[in-house]
Amino acid sequence: MGIESKYIWMDGKLVESENATVPFLSTALHYGLGVFEGIRCYNTNRGPAVFRLKEHMDRLVNSAKILGFNSLPYTSAELAEAAKETIRANGFKACYIRPLIYHHNRSSLGLNLDGGEARVGIAVWEWGRYLGDESIEKGVRANVSSFTRHHPNIAMTKAKITGNYANSVLAKTESVRLGFDEAIMLDPQGYVAECSGENIFVVRHGIIYTTQTAVILEGITRDALISLAKDLGYTVVEQLISRDQLYIADEVFVCGTAAEVVPVTEIDFRQIGDGVMEPVTRQIQQAFMAVISGSHPRSAEWLEYVNN
Ligand code: PMP
């Protein structure tokens, strides 16, 4: 399964995927001046449905605002419609959705955002779980990265800015080369921040902990899992988490649109719990799976049906 699709939506119209190109002299390519989203569409009894489409498109527009775009050619609601149109055109039942707003300046490769324009593309393709289809049952092995997560006044951590992701690529590549599946990154003060592409949760003595939002991406899956955990009667505490609190946790799990809900069974060669998926993680994962299949009470709130 590659990143193939028949059509990509480019600046208001669907084009054949091979024609969805960006000029070489684009500031987006040279300086990482783009903002993007990762969204999933799931196959349900009522046809394809997108998980929290509005929240994702709102975050995209906010990312553009954070980067400094003063105006965009499309609203969040128009982008949501365009995403659904792209899914329908490609005929996918379940897929990953990648909208990207990028900066392009026809007359300059200077570093000032003003003077250029915002261009928009939306691609969709069929994509299995990011950390492997078996990861959601078997779990993954992680290391604490030698790379620090962004300082919030160096790279804007609430924005999915393309350039920010060089930091994630450094960490992820190092982890995989070391034989791990994913990197856990510490913030500039040394507290746990997030993974290269997921947020992180710790369970200890029946309480669920997750990091505060100040230095992390405000994950939409994270937000959903907090609600689901509270629905299940758990206390969820957002607080600073240290590296050694990971080591002595009863359970650790990570979550994101691409990865979904994945147990972490080992960190830095230390087994977490019994080294298997533990009960709290399982319960939350099952609730999430029910939501995305359309069979959970919260499905109505969080799923947007593509063919309606
Ligand atoms: N942190 C980072 C750095 C990410 O790239 C992602 C993926 N978007 C997440 C957390 C999880 O966010 P979400 O649940 O909204 O996909």
Side-chain angles (χ1 to χ4, degrees):
M1 211 156 30
I3 49 172
E4 287 98 34
S5 67
K6 212 162 166 5
Y7 300 106
I8 294 181
W9 188 95
M10 295 291 278
D11 297 307
K13 45 181 191 296
L14 290 163
V15 302
E16 305 259 336
S17 295
E18 56 271 26
N19 297 327
T21 55
V22 174
F24 175 70
L25 285 181
S26 183
T27 43
L29 190 58
H30 293 254
Y31 310 128
L33 299 183
V35 295
F36 68 100
E37 268 305 315
I39 314 171
R40 272 196 191 272
C41 172
Y42 292 99
N43 189 10
T44 74
N45 288 341
R46 285 177 55 196
V50 183
F51 182 66
R52 305 193 75 178
L53 180 57
K54 179 183 185 312
E55 288 90 334
H56 277 284
M57 289 308 186
D58 285 350
R59 187 171 68 184
L60 180 68
V61 167
N62 279 335
S63 289
K65 179 179 185 179
I66 292 170
L67 184 57
F69 284 111
N70 284 327
S71 68
L72 292 177
Y74 305 99
T75 63
S76 169
E78 287 167 341
L79 292 168
E81 278 311 310
K84 290 195 281 184
E85 185 190 344
T86 314
I87 297 166
R88 284 193 292 267
N90 284 287
F92 292 141
K93 292 189 167 67
C95 59
Y96 182 80
I97 308 161
R98 169 56 59 85
L100 179 104
I101 301 175
Y102 63 97
H103 184 258
H104 185 71
N105 190 334
R106 291 163 204 265
S107 54
S108 163
L109 266 187
L111 292 175
N112 183 357
L113 202 74
D114 298 329
E117 64 192 24
R119 294 188 176 180
V120 190
I122 304 175
V124 298
W125 66 91
E126 291 174 304
W127 195 16
R129 295 187 178 102
Y130 174 57
L131 295 174
D133 280 336
E134 70 292 355
S135 66
I136 59 155
E137 180 59 38
K138 210 170 109 243
V140 293
R141 298 172 59 247
N143 68 320
V144 172
S145 183
S146 73
F147 295 99
T148 300
R149 195 64 183 148
H150 297 299
H151 182 290
N153 201 33
I154 295 177
M156 303 294 102
T157 62
K158 299 298 160 289
K160 281 181 78 75
I161 296 171
T162 56
N164 285 0
Y165 276 78
N167 176 253
S168 288
V169 171
L170 288 169
K172 175 77 176 188
T173 305
E174 178 190 56
S175 288
V176 173
R177 286 181 182 168
L178 287 169
F180 296 99
D181 303 301
E182 184 52 300
I184 298 170
M185 307 193 69
L186 306 182
D187 71 20
Q189 281 186 287
Y191 293 101
V192 174
E194 60 190 331
C195 296
S196 66
E198 299 86 30
N199 293 122
I200 188 163
F201 286 82
V202 167
V203 184
R204 193 160 181 227
H205 305 320
I207 300 194
I208 301 176
Y209 299 90
T210 193
T211 53
Q212 296 164 338
T213 55
V215 299
I216 61 165
L217 183 77
E218 292 176 341
I220 291 166
T221 320
R222 173 189 180 279
D223 178 75
L225 298 192
I226 291 173
S227 299
L228 293 173
K230 288 180 179 168
D231 289 349
L232 289 164
Y234 289 105
T235 303
V236 182
V237 182
E238 295 180 54
Q239 63 167 46
L240 292 174
I241 295 174
S242 66
R243 180 175 187 163
D244 51 4
Q245 284 176 315
L246 297 176
Y247 295 161
I248 59 172
D250 299 326
E251 308 184 26
V252 175
F253 58 95
V254 298
C255 70
T257 298
E260 301 182 340
V261 183
V262 178
V264 180
T265 53
E266 189 188 314
I267 299 172
D268 292 343
F269 303 105
R270 288 150 179 89
Q271 181 177 295
I272 305 303
D274 291 327
V276 295
M277 173 149 49
E278 302 287 350
V280 178
T281 306
R282 187 177 294 282
Q283 232 186 329
I284 289 170
Q285 188 193 74
Q286 280 173 351
F288 179 76
M289 302 288 234
V291 169
I292 60 179
S293 70
S295 61
H296 190 279
R298 285 200 182 257
S299 301
E301 179 191 347
W302 286 340
L303 290 182
E304 183 157 342
Y305 292 90
V306 172
N307 295 322
N308 282 0

